[in-house]
Amino acid sequence: WEILEAIDAKGKIQGKIDLELLATIGLEGEKEVMNQLKTTLPSQLISRIKHISLTDDSAGFDIASPSTVQNDSTCLLEVKTSSRPGTDFRFFISRNEARIASLNENWRLISVLRHSDGYRILGHLTYAHFSSILPTDSSPFSKWESASVTVPVDLMIPGLP
């Protein structure tokens, strides 16, 4: 990324987005979380893991799963995957995802890093970790639909919820 920033100071190359690649990276991050859940949870709970985003992209979360900490509770997991290493984790959150997060205390954002050897879960965040930095609607004539959020990696709670 440093090389790209050096040769493309105005961000023209970075501005080119490959939506198909982003979708693939996102799905692979979700699959990594699914695999980790299946290896972490007791075998009798695996059937309760649901990959929601495969059938409903408007739910405001990607996976519904028993908690790895409190198996009797269900977590709503929104997976964000990045291929940008560093001390900060940048992700985009939709207004719908933020709304669902604000209404469900068991909603968690799972951060996944894509690297040359595969995917690694960095940790998770609650909505309270970043809600104060989300945009607000300042006019009745406009509203935000998506926001770019950057949080320090060391703010992440290790592991899966």
Side-chain angles (χ1 to χ4, degrees):
W1 289 105
E2 290 174 9
I3 293 170
L4 180 59
E5 289 168 358
I7 62 173
D8 184 36
K10 295 187 179 187
K12 291 182 179 182
I13 296 172
Q14 287 179 330
K16 303 288 182 186
I17 298 173
D18 183 340
L19 295 177
E20 193 172 308
L21 177 62
L22 289 178
T24 300
I25 291 170
L27 180 58
E28 292 300 318
E30 291 174 19
K31 287 179 181 178
E32 177 64 24
V33 172
M34 292 287 293
N35 290 337
Q36 288 293 320
L37 288 166
K38 288 175 183 176
T39 61
T40 304
L41 288 168
S43 59
Q44 69 270 21
L45 297 178
I46 292 175
S47 66
R48 290 182 35 208
I49 303 170
K50 306 293 181 206
H51 198 161
I52 303 297
S53 66
L54 294 178
T55 57
D56 185 0
D57 196 35
S58 66
F61 59 95
D62 299 313
I63 299 167
S65 172
S67 168
T68 62
V69 180
Q70 297 174 319
N71 296 161
D72 58 335
S73 130
T74 299
C75 291
L76 309 177
L77 308 176
E78 175 58 31
V79 180
K80 299 296 181 183
T81 306
S82 175
S83 56
R84 218 174 229 211
T87 58
D88 292 329
F89 188 80
R90 181 175 173 229
F91 60 92
F92 289 90
I93 188 162
S94 72
R95 184 182 189 102
N96 183 54
E97 291 164 347
R99 183 182 66 79
I100 297 301
S102 72
L103 298 172
N104 295 280
E105 67 179 31
N106 58 346
W107 184 96
R108 298 291 184 272
L109 185 137
I110 309 297
S111 58
V112 178
L113 181 63
R114 175 186 182 226
H115 53 88
S116 59
D117 297 338
Y119 292 79
R120 180 172 58 93
I121 296 172
L122 297 176
H124 65 277
L125 299 170
T126 67
Y127 178 66
H129 281 107
F130 61 89
S131 60
S132 65
I133 61 173
L134 290 176
T136 57
D137 296 335
S138 58
S139 165
F141 303 108
S142 65
K143 65 180 181 176
W144 72 275
E145 290 298 326
S146 179
S148 172
V149 178
T150 303
V151 296
V153 171
D154 60 8
L155 184 65
M156 308 263 170
I157 302 164
L160 292 169

